[in-house]
Amino acid sequence: MTDASPPPASGAGQAPDLPRLEASRAAALASLIAIGARFGDTVVGLTAVRRAPHLALVLADARLASRTLHELAARRTAGTVVYLVDDLAVVAGVLGREEVRVLGVRPGSLADGLSARLRRSDPGPR
């Protein structure tokens, strides 16, 4: 007996090639991201990220559906840096929103500081 289902579309089922951010490294950014949420620099949730026209940085839970990850990865063409986070709840929990699986950061000093911190702690290619 053969499987009659069609082959998956290109890229379907496979996560895009995005830099990975371990939960411990993401947790180190949580307090800054929380401050950004108070001042409107942090965008919380998938719908809000989808609606935000310009983001400097996106943190996406690695357990998101492949299609959603590809959608977020497409933002890289506009200059957005997208990271896969092993468990985004460690960051979203500081916001009191453990269920959130996507966070974005608007361009500005917060995004610049987070990017610099990520570059300094980058362990290099794996």
Side-chain angles (χ1 to χ4, degrees):
M1 201 183 247
T2 61
D3 184 3
S5 60
S10 176
Q14 299 173 3
D17 185 22
L18 295 170
R20 198 166 199 97
L21 190 62
E22 294 172 359
S24 61
R25 286 183 62 212
L29 308 175
S31 61
L32 293 174
I33 289 172
I35 290 168
R38 285 189 218 126
F39 292 101
D41 292 331
T42 301
V43 179
V44 181
L46 180 59
T47 300
V49 165
R50 284 176 170 156
R51 291 180 180 165
H54 304 289
L55 293 173
L57 179 69
V58 169
L59 302 179
D61 194 293
R63 297 169 295 183
L64 283 169
S66 176
R67 185 176 183 148
T68 303
L69 290 173
H70 280 279
E71 174 190 339
L72 295 169
R75 295 188 77 121
R76 294 180 297 178
T77 60
T80 302
V81 179
V82 181
Y83 283 95
L84 286 179
V85 180
D86 294 336
D87 182 9
L88 194 64
V90 298
V91 179
V94 174
L95 302 170
R97 304 271 313 271
E98 292 86 3
E99 78 284 359
V100 169
R101 296 294 175 241
V102 182
L103 294 169
V105 179
R106 298 183 198 283
S109 58
L110 175 62
D112 295 343
L114 290 171
S115 294
R117 186 175 274 197
L118 286 167
R119 280 192 303 274
R120 279 194 309 268
S121 65
D122 188 2
R126 295 182 185 186

